[in-house]
Amino acid sequence: MADALAERCTMLGGPVIGLMQAVMGSQVNAIRFVEVIERAREIQRIVARGAEGIDDPAYTRWVATAPVVLDEIIDGAEHRDRERVWAAFSDPERGMNALAAACTGQPGW
């Protein structure tokens, strides 16, 4: 089970870092919204795999809400709404911080 979590966290590491950079960049440069959308969609494809084989409650809680959060990030970016993108990304319960908490201790996290 821990191996499945490690594998999933490894898969998500690069895309999440890319999303973080794009979200931060979009706060000062609207051109970065395109990249926000691309990175969020990349994460959506990984999230679509679900949490099979992963029994970590923090991860399963995050993966259950991630589709809604990622949709909010994408919709906010499509509408060039910096505040909405940031609010969804940084939400302490559902955003990328919750994923980081689930992946704490995994390589690259």
Side-chain angles (χ1 to χ4, degrees):
M1 304 285 178
D3 291 338
L5 177 62
E7 179 182 320
R8 195 61 50 86
C9 290
T10 297
M11 291 173 68
L12 286 162
V16 169
I17 289 171
L19 178 62
M20 178 183 65
Q21 292 169 333
V23 166
M24 293 176 90
S26 75
Q27 300 302 296
V28 295
N29 186 349
I31 194 108
R32 300 292 301 270
F33 284 128
V34 172
E35 188 180 348
V36 168
I37 294 166
E38 291 170 356
R39 295 292 81 71
R41 287 190 175 141
E42 185 176 359
I43 295 167
Q44 281 180 322
R45 288 189 292 275
I46 298 168
V47 166
R49 297 174 183 213
E52 187 174 338
I54 300 172
D55 65 355
D56 181 86
Y59 183 83
T60 56
R61 200 170 32 254
W62 175 79
V63 83
T65 61
V68 172
V69 172
L70 292 164
D71 284 345
E72 289 174 17
I73 290 170
I74 291 168
D75 192 59
E78 289 173 343
H79 290 92
R80 296 177 175 248
D81 185 338
R82 289 178 173 92
E83 290 177 16
R84 186 171 176 202
V85 168
W86 182 255
F89 176 83
S90 65
D91 184 295
E93 299 298 319
R94 304 176 312 133
M96 296 304 114
N97 185 53
L99 172 62
C103 289
T104 296
Q106 300 298 328
W109 289 88

